[in-house]
Amino acid sequence: EYFDIQFACARNGAICVLLNWRLTVSELEYILSDSSPKLLVHHAEFADAAGQLRDRCDIDHLLEIDGGADDSAYELALAAGAGAPVERVALTHDDVITIMYTSGTTGLPKGAMITHGMNFWNAVNLGVPAGIGIDTVHLSVLPLFHTGGLNCYSNPVLHAGGTVVIMQTFDPGDALRLIGDPDQGITHFFAVPAPYQFMMQHADFADTDLSRLRVAGVGGAPCALTIMEAWAERGVDLAQGFGMTETSPACIFLDPGDALRKIGSTGKALMHTEFRIVDDGGGDCGPDEIGELWVAGPNITPGYWNKPDATASAFEGRWLKTGDAARMDDEGFVYIVDRWKDMYISGGENVYPAEVENVLYQLPGVNEAAVIGIPHDRWGEVGLAVLAVEPGSAIDRNVVIEHCVERLA
């Protein structure tokens, strides 16, 4: 259904706003109020939340999906429109097809505008080095509301005429079974580091036939050497890369042949992307000098929906300022060394402390709140909240957790 809706929007000129189903109603309310959709498509399990959002955000229509059942509202709507003439709308690469909301250091999400051109150039940038073609069968396990799930490699595979196999919920054992199944014929796989770790720790990992897997991409967060080595021992060299929602996302790519030789590197710029590493004065850094990574190319977002100030601050001319601190070695390989923006990555998800801190400040008795990222064996990083309370006050840990569970993804 995700792809039905995406391609319908591509044909009739509509814009598809992809929602993170982990978010609470209050978090989604901000996104829908900002984007003002006319139609909200939702699964049956989210019917209550959809009803609340329709009323709060003045949405004209709801359309419910119910597992492909013939009598579901979604399937009935498709049947009713079958055979009707479809008017193609004249669009260009500059027209917006998708809005993907990303967290921001202000604590409010920003809607990155994704154009038809960005989707096309990502299919070229990512599809060519990944060897994607009409015979590609890609196993998609990441959420499709994220650019990783939608565009690494699902959209490029569909662009090439290949096949996408979708897991609605990731399970390491099921994923290994699908990859090892000759009837599925999985050739491509992409994930953040955590699923690779869960799969290599599964009892079936050692005996799963991985021989049909041509490309296994990893991104979204730094990949630990132990994960790369474990998969390499099974004959699968993980292909690393760097990208952002705002870059469609393919931007920098490390050839698997260099993966172990260049441990920690995210690679070199893809064909239709440029990068600079810039010092505080706006000049280019030399080899192994640390500066901010800037990128440019036809795969870069035109900006943020309804946020001209945020758009202006994100760009320097044609260059998008990524907010990541990076260095380049003497062979031209890029290494991401830190984040200039106040953010940590947990299980491949970008988490901005300001969002969590805003919720913590709602608790009575909290004078100050700070959230930092700390190392974690399972998720790479997790948040640690540090609270300064009013004199004489005490806050129970469980109260804090319950308060956050109700208000945060």
PDB file of all heavy atoms in Angstrom, residues 28 54 66 73 167 229-230 237 252 395:
ATOM      1  N   LEU A  28       2.242  13.410  16.140  1.00  0.00           N
ATOM      2  CA  LEU A  28       1.700  13.391  14.788  1.00  0.00           C
ATOM      3  C   LEU A  28       0.845  14.621  14.508  1.00  0.00           C
ATOM      4  O   LEU A  28       0.780  15.104  13.376  1.00  0.00           O
ATOM      5  CB  LEU A  28       0.882  12.122  14.562  1.00  0.00           C
ATOM      6  CG  LEU A  28       1.674  10.820  14.488  1.00  0.00           C
ATOM      7  CD1 LEU A  28       0.735   9.622  14.527  1.00  0.00           C
ATOM      8  CD2 LEU A  28       2.529  10.776  13.219  1.00  0.00           C
ATOM      9  N   ARG A  54      -7.938  13.205  12.672  1.00  0.00           N
ATOM     10  CA  ARG A  54      -8.893  13.818  11.738  1.00  0.00           C
ATOM     11  C   ARG A  54      -9.574  15.017  12.398  1.00  0.00           C
ATOM     12  O   ARG A  54      -9.703  16.096  11.791  1.00  0.00           O
ATOM     13  CB  ARG A  54      -9.931  12.788  11.318  1.00  0.00           C
ATOM     14  CG  ARG A  54     -11.052  13.361  10.420  1.00  0.00           C
ATOM     15  CD  ARG A  54     -12.163  12.354  10.258  1.00  0.00           C
ATOM     16  NE  ARG A  54     -12.685  11.945  11.574  1.00  0.00           N
ATOM     17  CZ  ARG A  54     -13.368  10.823  11.778  1.00  0.00           C
ATOM     18  NH1 ARG A  54     -13.624   9.988  10.782  1.00  0.00           N
ATOM     19  NH2 ARG A  54     -13.803  10.526  12.998  1.00  0.00           N
ATOM     20  N   ASP A  66      -6.837  -2.795   5.869  1.00  0.00           N
ATOM     21  CA  ASP A  66      -7.050  -3.889   6.818  1.00  0.00           C
ATOM     22  C   ASP A  66      -6.477  -5.187   6.259  1.00  0.00           C
ATOM     23  O   ASP A  66      -7.212  -6.109   5.903  1.00  0.00           O
ATOM     24  CB  ASP A  66      -8.543  -4.045   7.130  1.00  0.00           C
ATOM     25  CG  ASP A  66      -8.779  -4.976   8.321  1.00  0.00           C
ATOM     26  OD1 ASP A  66      -7.784  -5.385   8.958  1.00  0.00           O
ATOM     27  OD2 ASP A  66      -9.940  -5.299   8.599  1.00  0.00           O
ATOM     28  N   ALA A  73     -11.912  -0.691   3.455  1.00  0.00           N
ATOM     29  CA  ALA A  73     -12.178   0.585   2.784  1.00  0.00           C
ATOM     30  C   ALA A  73     -11.162   0.848   1.677  1.00  0.00           C
ATOM     31  O   ALA A  73     -11.510   1.344   0.602  1.00  0.00           O
ATOM     32  CB  ALA A  73     -12.166   1.712   3.808  1.00  0.00           C
ATOM     33  N   MET A 167       9.158  -7.073   4.626  1.00  0.00           N
ATOM     34  CA  MET A 167       8.828  -7.595   5.956  1.00  0.00           C
ATOM     35  C   MET A 167       8.148  -6.475   6.735  1.00  0.00           C
ATOM     36  O   MET A 167       8.743  -5.422   6.943  1.00  0.00           O
ATOM     37  CB  MET A 167      10.086  -8.037   6.709  1.00  0.00           C
ATOM     38  CG  MET A 167      10.758  -9.284   6.183  1.00  0.00           C
ATOM     39  SD  MET A 167      12.120  -9.829   7.268  1.00  0.00           S
ATOM     40  CE  MET A 167      11.209 -10.457   8.676  1.00  0.00           C
ATOM     41  N   GLU A 229      33.185  -7.968  10.444  1.00  0.00           N
ATOM     42  CA  GLU A 229      34.031  -9.166  10.378  1.00  0.00           C
ATOM     43  C   GLU A 229      33.179 -10.441  10.400  1.00  0.00           C
ATOM     44  O   GLU A 229      33.477 -11.408   9.683  1.00  0.00           O
ATOM     45  CB  GLU A 229      35.029  -9.159  11.534  1.00  0.00           C
ATOM     46  CG  GLU A 229      36.127  -8.117  11.364  1.00  0.00           C
ATOM     47  CD  GLU A 229      37.090  -8.100  12.533  1.00  0.00           C
ATOM     48  OE1 GLU A 229      36.692  -8.519  13.655  1.00  0.00           O
ATOM     49  OE2 GLU A 229      38.239  -7.642  12.354  1.00  0.00           O
ATOM     50  N   ALA A 230      32.127 -10.440  11.221  1.00  0.00           N
ATOM     51  CA  ALA A 230      31.280 -11.634  11.314  1.00  0.00           C
ATOM     52  C   ALA A 230      30.610 -11.931   9.977  1.00  0.00           C
ATOM     53  O   ALA A 230      30.518 -13.096   9.561  1.00  0.00           O
ATOM     54  CB  ALA A 230      30.233 -11.442  12.410  1.00  0.00           C
ATOM     55  N   ASP A 237      30.630  -9.053   2.331  1.00  0.00           N
ATOM     56  CA  ASP A 237      31.273  -7.790   2.691  1.00  0.00           C
ATOM     57  C   ASP A 237      30.216  -6.693   2.707  1.00  0.00           C
ATOM     58  O   ASP A 237      29.571  -6.413   1.685  1.00  0.00           O
ATOM     59  CB  ASP A 237      32.376  -7.435   1.689  1.00  0.00           C
ATOM     60  CG  ASP A 237      33.550  -8.394   1.763  1.00  0.00           C
ATOM     61  OD1 ASP A 237      33.865  -8.858   2.868  1.00  0.00           O
ATOM     62  OD2 ASP A 237      34.151  -8.673   0.705  1.00  0.00           O
ATOM     63  N   ILE A 252      27.532   9.375  -0.215  1.00  0.00           N
ATOM     64  CA  ILE A 252      28.907   8.875  -0.173  1.00  0.00           C
ATOM     65  C   ILE A 252      28.836   7.367   0.018  1.00  0.00           C
ATOM     66  O   ILE A 252      27.985   6.865   0.751  1.00  0.00           O
ATOM     67  CB  ILE A 252      29.702   9.553   0.965  1.00  0.00           C
ATOM     68  CG1 ILE A 252      29.795  11.073   0.711  1.00  0.00           C
ATOM     69  CG2 ILE A 252      31.096   8.964   1.093  1.00  0.00           C
ATOM     70  CD1 ILE A 252      30.401  11.848   1.876  1.00  0.00           C
ATOM     71  N   ILE A 395      12.003  13.031  42.464  1.00  0.00           N
ATOM     72  CA  ILE A 395      11.266  12.499  41.313  1.00  0.00           C
ATOM     73  C   ILE A 395      11.563  11.019  41.195  1.00  0.00           C
ATOM     74  O   ILE A 395      12.730  10.604  41.161  1.00  0.00           O
ATOM     75  CB  ILE A 395      11.657  13.228  40.010  1.00  0.00           C
ATOM     76  CG1 ILE A 395      11.224  14.693  40.092  1.00  0.00           C
ATOM     77  CG2 ILE A 395      11.008  12.567  38.799  1.00  0.00           C
ATOM     78  CD1 ILE A 395      11.535  15.482  38.852  1.00  0.00           C
TER      79      ILE A 395
END
